[in-house]
Amino acid sequence: MAKDIDPLISAAHEEITAIRRDFHANPEIGFQEVRTAGIVTERLRAYGVDEVHTGIGKTGMVGVIKGKQDTCGASIGLRADMDALPMPEKNLFAHASKTTNMMHACGHDGHTAMLLGTAKYLAKTRNFDGTAYLIFQPAEEGLGGGEAMVREGLFTRFPAQRIFALHNRPELPPGQFGLCDGPCMAAADMFKIFIKGKGGHAARPHLLIDPMVAAANIILAAQTVVARSVNPLDCAVLGLSAMAGGNLAAHSVVPTEVTITGTGRSYKREVQDILESRLRTLVEHIAQAHGCEATLEYHRNYPSTVNSHSEYLFGAEVAREVFGAANVNDKHPPSMGGEDFSFMLQERPGCYAWIGNGMKEGCYLHNGNYDFNDAIIPSGVTWFSRIIERGMPLTP
C-alpha cells in the first residue's frame, strides 16, 4: 500500500468503497452507463468540483478542478473507465451484480471510484498550480469510448497538456506498482472470415464444396503468419477464437457457409500491416484452392497504447514516492491486451500504469469470480493526487 496516506484520503475510504460496491452491484455496459454517470455527476458536484461537463462521447464526463494558483496555465488530465462487461458474475457476496449477464469483471468500478476519491481530495485541498481535468470515460471494452470522447473535442474543450491513467492488475500484489516506457498495451484488431462453399449430404462428398475443410486449412495456415512473416524480435499474436457453421444436431449435413472470428495483436504499425496482409492472402488463396469463396473483414479497433518517455519517468517517480522504490517495477513487461486510452495518448503525451490488485484463487480480469480490491483505493487516489500536486506544484 502507499506509504503515507493523507488523512483526508483515509477518511474518505469507507465512502468511496461504498460507491465502488454500488457500481459493482449495478453494472452498465459501454455507452449505457447512464446510472453510473449520474452518480459520478452528483458526487463531483457535491465535492465542490468547479465544473462538471456531461454527455461527452455519449455517457462520458469531465470534472474541472482549479488549483490555488494558475500562474503558468499548466493542466493535467486523469482518466478512469466506467463500463462493465456483458458476462455473468459468479460471486455471491452482497455487492454482486444485480443484472443478469452483466458484470464489472475488469475493475472499472474501482477505477471510477478512485478518480472520484481523487476529485474529493483535490477539490478540498487544491494544492497545485494549474487545472486538473478528471475524465470519466465510457465504453472501454471494445466500443471505443476513448475515441468517441476525443472525436467530440475532448482536448479542445479541456486542453490537458499531459494525461495519466491507472488500471488494476491482479498479478501484482497490493502495494506494488508497474509501468513501462513506450508501448505498454497492444493494438487490438478484430476480424471475421467468411467462407462459402456448397453444402449437402456428408455421405456424398464428391458432390460438395466443403467449407469446413477450407476453414480447417485456414486455421492451421494462420499459425504461420507470426512464426514466418513477423520479425522474431517483434511481438505479435494472431488468434482465431471461434468458428461457426452447420448444425450440431445434423450429423450428415455439410454446411454451405462457415465463419471464423479472431484477433490480431501487435505494438508496431508495420507488424499490424503484416498480420492483415498475410492473413488476407492466406484466406483468399486457401479457399480458392478448395473451390470455395472467402472474404476477410479486418477491423483495426484500438491502436497500441504508447507511454511517452517524460511522462513515464514522471509517473515512475511519483510511484516510488507513493509506494516506495522497492515496490515499483518501472520495467514491467507490456501486455498484449488492448486499451482505448491509446486514442488519448495519440493526442497528448501521457502514461498508463498498473496498480497491484492481488489475486484470489487464480482469478484474473474478465473472470466471473473477479472483484476489485477495495483496500487499494487510497493508494490509487494518492498516486492520482500526487500526479497533480507534483506535476503542477505551487509556486512560493
Side-chain angles (χ1 to χ4, degrees):
M1 303 302 175
K3 294 188 299 180
D4 298 307
I5 303 294
D6 187 282
L8 288 174
I9 294 175
S10 295
H13 189 187
E14 184 175 348
E15 174 195 348
I16 301 302
T17 294
I19 294 172
R20 199 287 297 181
R21 294 186 177 186
D22 177 74
F23 288 154
H24 191 96
N26 298 278
E28 296 172 304
I29 58 174
F31 294 126
Q32 298 179 27
E33 307 95 337
V34 176
R35 180 183 184 276
T36 303
I39 292 172
V40 170
T41 299
E42 184 273 328
R43 287 290 87 203
L44 291 177
R45 288 172 176 158
Y47 295 153
V49 169
D50 297 301
E51 302 172 21
V52 181
H53 300 265
T54 63
I56 307 164
K58 195 169 183 178
T59 47
M61 68 206 69
V62 175
V64 181
I65 304 176
K66 301 182 185 299
K68 289 180 179 178
Q69 299 175 347
D70 189 9
T71 61
C72 56
S75 58
I76 293 177
L78 305 175
R79 172 269 199 176
D81 38 18
M82 301 188 295
D83 57 322
L85 284 154
M87 59 177 285
E89 178 155 7
K90 296 181 180 178
N91 292 309
L92 300 176
F93 45 56
H95 61 277
S97 174
K98 300 175 184 177
T99 307
T100 302
N101 292 324
M102 207 173 291
M103 177 192 176
H104 270 294
C106 202
H108 297 184
D109 50 344
H111 306 159
T112 300
M114 288 192 296
L115 195 54
L116 278 176
T118 304
K120 183 171 187 177
Y121 171 79
L122 292 177
K124 178 72 173 179
T125 58
R126 300 180 185 266
N127 291 323
F128 58 95
D129 184 350
T131 303
Y133 296 112
L134 278 56
I135 303 165
F136 294 86
Q137 182 211 301
E140 189 281 326
E141 295 289 357
L143 297 177
E147 181 183 24
M149 293 190 81
V150 169
R151 190 172 58 244
E152 292 185 16
L154 175 66
F155 294 117
T156 302
R157 297 175 60 185
F158 312 101
Q161 296 161 342
R162 300 186 283 172
I163 53 173
F164 296 83
L166 272 182
H167 199 294
N168 78 97
R169 197 166 184 88
E171 300 95 315
L172 282 177
Q176 294 192 15
F177 197 91
L179 68 172
C180 60
D181 197 5
C184 60
M185 299 286 279
D189 302 337
M190 302 185 296
F191 60 82
K192 288 185 179 181
I193 302 168
F194 300 94
I195 307 166
K196 185 175 181 179
K198 180 181 178 182
H201 201 299
R204 298 178 177 87
H206 59 296
L207 301 178
L208 310 175
I209 300 175
D210 193 341
M212 301 283 286
V213 176
N217 280 272
I218 288 171
I219 290 170
L220 291 175
Q223 310 310 311
T224 68
V225 172
V226 173
R228 288 296 176 266
S229 297
V230 175
N231 187 325
L233 300 181
D234 290 327
C235 295
V237 171
L238 190 64
L240 293 97
S241 51
M243 184 172 76
N247 186 339
L248 292 176
H251 299 277
S252 62
V253 178
V254 173
T256 295
E257 297 179 348
V258 171
T259 302
I260 302 170
T261 62
T263 185
R265 303 295 171 110
S266 56
Y267 294 127
K268 297 179 179 179
R269 176 62 65 86
E270 55 266 34
V271 175
Q272 195 177 28
D273 292 341
I274 290 170
L275 296 181
E276 180 176 358
S277 174
R278 289 294 300 136
L279 183 60
R280 189 176 303 280
T281 298
L282 289 173
V283 165
E284 292 175 355
H285 288 276
I286 290 174
Q288 185 180 26
H290 288 274
C292 294
E293 298 176 1
T295 57
L296 171 68
E297 290 184 359
Y298 198 98
H299 176 58
R300 300 192 180 195
N301 195 30
Y302 291 174
S304 179
T305 304
V306 182
N307 288 337
S308 51
H309 183 64
S310 295
E311 283 63 40
Y312 150 76
L313 291 175
F314 177 59
E317 177 187 340
V318 172
R320 284 189 287 269
E321 177 185 322
V322 172
F323 295 90
N327 294 314
V328 176
N329 180 0
D330 59 8
K331 293 180 175 57
H332 195 285
S335 168
M336 296 307 287
E339 167 61 68
D340 78 345
F341 186 58
S342 54
F343 291 106
M344 298 185 188
L345 288 175
Q346 288 186 330
E347 301 293 324
R348 293 292 189 273
C351 180
Y352 180 88
W354 295 291
I355 184 170
N357 190 72
M359 185 165 57
K360 63 174 186 178
E361 301 174 0
C363 181
Y364 294 88
L365 301 174
H366 293 216
N367 181 293
N369 290 309
Y370 169 85
D371 191 26
F372 184 84
N373 186 349
D374 293 316
I376 71 171
I377 288 175
S379 299
V381 171
T382 300
W383 186 80
F384 269 146
S385 300
R386 297 279 177 85
I387 286 290
I388 298 297
E389 293 175 340
R390 300 295 182 267
M392 300 183 291
L394 290 170
T395 55

